């Protein structure tokens, strides 16, 4: 299979690229290596795949319409996984334009590339943030979600709507995956686990928002990657009951699907920090702060559809996942 992966130097994209290469697929890896966070970390992730004979390394911005058209036409991928995005809820309050450029203009170019090059399946990253704050627990893909709390969440929800249109109009098979707080080795420096680890090791206080009362459905990166592959391989998973898009008879048969990928076991933030302290053998100094604008207090994934349609459910315990992260962090930083 020839798979175009965007965000190939990213946390999830690099792990996915490695796994697809290992099973014999060709990977066309697109990334603009932007400086939202440490570019050296992105280069180090990319270095794990760059020399593989079946890896094509493209330095390209999703929003570059002609560049993306060329990439699709030249490499003719069978399937596409769109992971490149401007990520981060809090940064979307500071630089909203970056979200429109990468997540909307960029996604438009992905949809067009798929449409004009007979791509068999587009899998794209959505996010648990689309659920907003006032949703019943656990979050179900059959709930109507139309109250995003940040531009990040709004662009992710927009991706789902745009994908629905392309599935409906052009019969493009699309699957949106609502990831729930992904963590693990090679993780992002702007996310809690990385920031906490860095500060605890340096003897600095850690910022704990919502006074530590958050619950998050932390999901281990390998579970996410396995789920993406399972979904990627099954473009025609049935979708007779989709209700989130209010289907009429014309849309209900569109090859369109949305799944939650989450651990289905929310963990309190203070518990997450305790496990990290145990793994590091060091106590954290807590700087307790209120809930931040744009943040949601709790996340909890209902994964019934993923289990039912694809017999798949993430299952790594946070104790194991955090231990793996700490081992990687120390090795990467030569500690
Ligand atoms: P990441 O930031 O590590 O990876 C994204 C990669 O895309 C980066 O390497 C970046 O350089 C690249 N990129 C960004 N904008 C680009 C553009 N316009 N053109 C080309 N490349 C671009 O993020 P991640 O944690 O690997 O997340 C992957 C996807 O999953 C994102 O869409 C993110 O929104 C989504 N997601 C992640 C989480 C999580 O907890 N990590 C949770 C929910 C959703």
């Amino acid at each position: 299979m020839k798979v175009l992966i965007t965000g190939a130097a990213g946390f999830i994209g690099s792990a996915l690229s490695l796994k697809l290469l290992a099973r014999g697929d060709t990977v066309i890896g697109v990334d603009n290596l932007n400086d939202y966070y440490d570019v050296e970390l992105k280069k180090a992730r990319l270095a794990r795949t760059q020399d593989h004979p079946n890896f094509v390394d493209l330095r390209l911005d999703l929003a570059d319409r002609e560049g993306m058209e060329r990439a699709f036409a030249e490499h003719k991928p069978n399937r596409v996984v769109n992971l490149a995005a401007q990520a981060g809820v809090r940064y979307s309050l500071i630089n909203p334009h970056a979200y429109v450029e990468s997540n909307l203009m960029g996604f438009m170019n992905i949809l067009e590339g798929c449409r004009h090059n007979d791509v068999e399946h587009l899998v794209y990253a959505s996010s648990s943030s689309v659920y907003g704050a006032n949703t019943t627990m656990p979050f179900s893909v059959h709930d109507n979600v139309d109250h995003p709390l940040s531009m990040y969440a709004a662009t992710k929800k927009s991706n789902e709507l745009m994908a629905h249109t392309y599935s409906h109009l052009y019969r493009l098979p699309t699957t949106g995956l609502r990831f729930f707080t992904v963590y693990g080795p090679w993780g992002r420096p702007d996310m809690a686990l990385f920031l906490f680890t860095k500060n605890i090791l340096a003897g600095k206080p850690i910022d704990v928002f919502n006074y530590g009362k958050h619950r998050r459905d932390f999901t281990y990166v390998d579970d996410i990657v396995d789920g993406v592959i399972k979904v990627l391989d099954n473009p025609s998973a049935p979708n007779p009951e989709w209700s989130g898009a209010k289907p009429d008879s014309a849309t209900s048969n569109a090859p369109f699907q949305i799944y939650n990928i989450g651990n289905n076991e929310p963990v309190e933030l203070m518990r997450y920090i305790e496990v990290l302290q145990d793994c590091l053998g060091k106590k954290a100094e807590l700087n307790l702060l209120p809930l931040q604008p744009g943040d949601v207090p709790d996340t909890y994934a209902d994964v019934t559809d993923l289990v039912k349609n694809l017999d798949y459910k993430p299952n790594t315990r946070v104790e194991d996942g955090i231990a793996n992260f700490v081992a990687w962090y120390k090795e990467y930083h030569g500690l």
Side-chain angles (χ1 to χ4, degrees), residues 6-14 30-37 42 45 60-64 68 82-88 98 101-103 106 124-129 152 156 177-183 186-191 219:
T6 71
F11 171 32
I12 300 169
S14 58
V30 171
D31 206 294
N32 67 358
L33 288 187
N34 68 41
D35 62 0
Y36 168 59
Y37 63 74
K42 293 184 181 182
R45 291 187 191 125
L60 189 59
D61 196 303
L62 243 55
D64 171 356
M68 288 303 291
N82 185 54
L83 298 170
Q86 180 55 59
E101 276 152 31
S102 290
N103 305 5
Y124 60 96
S126 182
S127 162
S128 60
S129 64
Y152 172 65
K156 289 295 180 180
L177 299 177
R178 293 178 181 167
F179 296 152
F180 283 65
T181 318
V182 189
Y183 73 103
W186 298 94
R188 281 186 9 220
D190 62 324
M191 291 185 70
T219 314

Side-chain angles (χ1 to χ4, degrees), residues 15 25-26 59 68 73 129 132 140 148 169 184 187 204 264 267 295 316 318:
D25 291 339
T26 293
R59 200 64 54 248
M68 288 303 291
S129 64
S140 164
L169 284 179
K204 291 186 182 160
N264 188 230
V267 172
D295 273 8
T316 304
V318 288

Side-chain angles (χ1 to χ4, degrees), residues 25-291:
D25 291 339
T26 293
V27 172
I28 322 297
V30 171
D31 206 294
N32 67 358
L33 288 187
N34 68 41
D35 62 0
Y36 168 59
Y37 63 74
D38 184 13
V39 176
E40 292 311 312
L41 176 60
K42 293 184 181 182
K43 286 185 183 163
R45 291 187 191 125
L46 206 50
R48 299 185 300 158
T49 54
Q50 239 161 1
D51 294 334
H52 195 289
N54 293 341
F55 185 78
V56 181
D57 185 14
L58 296 183
R59 200 64 54 248
L60 189 59
D61 196 303
L62 243 55
D64 171 356
R65 181 171 164 182
E66 276 148 30
M68 288 303 291
E69 281 171 3
R70 267 197 309 275
F72 271 94
E74 194 174 318
H75 297 287
K76 289 273 175 211
N78 316 103
R79 301 198 179 179
V80 174
V81 182
N82 185 54
L83 298 170
Q86 180 55 59
V89 167
R90 291 182 198 129
Y91 186 62
S92 71
L93 277 72
I94 298 165
N95 186 2
H97 290 94
Y99 292 74
V100 173
E101 276 152 31
S102 290
N103 305 5
L104 298 183
M105 306 298 284
F107 193 63
M108 186 73 240
N109 292 334
I110 293 289
L111 288 169
E112 280 287 276
C114 291
R115 171 191 169 198
H116 291 296
N117 294 279
D118 301 320
V119 166
E120 297 158 2
H121 192 193
L122 165 64
V123 178
Y124 60 96
S126 182
S127 162
S128 60
S129 64
V130 301
Y131 288 104
N134 304 314
T135 316
T136 48
M137 297 282 169
F139 298 166
S140 164
V141 292
H142 301 286
D143 294 340
N144 236 330
V145 286
D146 55 7
H147 42 265
L149 298 183
S150 65
M151 268 307 286
Y152 172 65
T155 59
K156 289 295 180 180
K157 180 64 198 169
S158 304
N159 286 173
E160 296 178 357
L161 298 172
M162 293 159 81
H164 184 272
T165 304
Y166 270 63
S167 290
H168 169 60
L169 284 179
Y170 309 117
R171 313 301 299 167
L172 171 67
T174 68
T175 307
L177 299 177
R178 293 178 181 167
F179 296 152
F180 283 65
T181 318
V182 189
Y183 73 103
W186 298 94
R188 281 186 9 220
D190 62 324
M191 291 185 70
L193 186 58
F194 197 110
L195 291 167
F196 289 170
T197 303
K198 188 174 159 194
N199 279 15
I200 293 171
L201 287 174
K204 291 186 182 160
I206 60 172
D207 287 344
V208 180
F209 296 115
N210 198 21
Y211 307 105
K213 286 188 237 145
H214 277 351
R215 284 189 322 151
R216 286 283 179 272
D217 210 346
F218 296 104
T219 314
Y220 191 61
V221 63
D222 289 0
D223 286 338
I224 292 281
V225 166
D226 289 348
V228 172
I229 292 174
K230 193 123 196 186
V231 166
L232 183 68
D233 289 345
N234 290 281
S236 56
N239 181 26
E241 292 152 21
W242 172 254
S243 62
K246 292 202 177 102
D248 56 31
S249 58
T251 59
S252 60
N253 293 326
F256 170 79
Q257 185 68 263
I258 304 275
Y259 288 116
N260 285 334
I261 301 198
N263 220 35
N264 188 230
E265 199 180 315
V267 172
E268 281 172 15
L269 186 55
M270 294 311 287
R271 168 85 191 117
Y272 196 64
I273 293 169
E274 271 167 27
V275 174
L276 177 60
Q277 290 178 146
D278 289 347
C279 290
L280 291 171
K282 218 172 157 195
K283 275 260 173 236
E285 190 188 327
L286 307 182
N287 183 24
L288 297 173
L289 296 165
L291 186 69

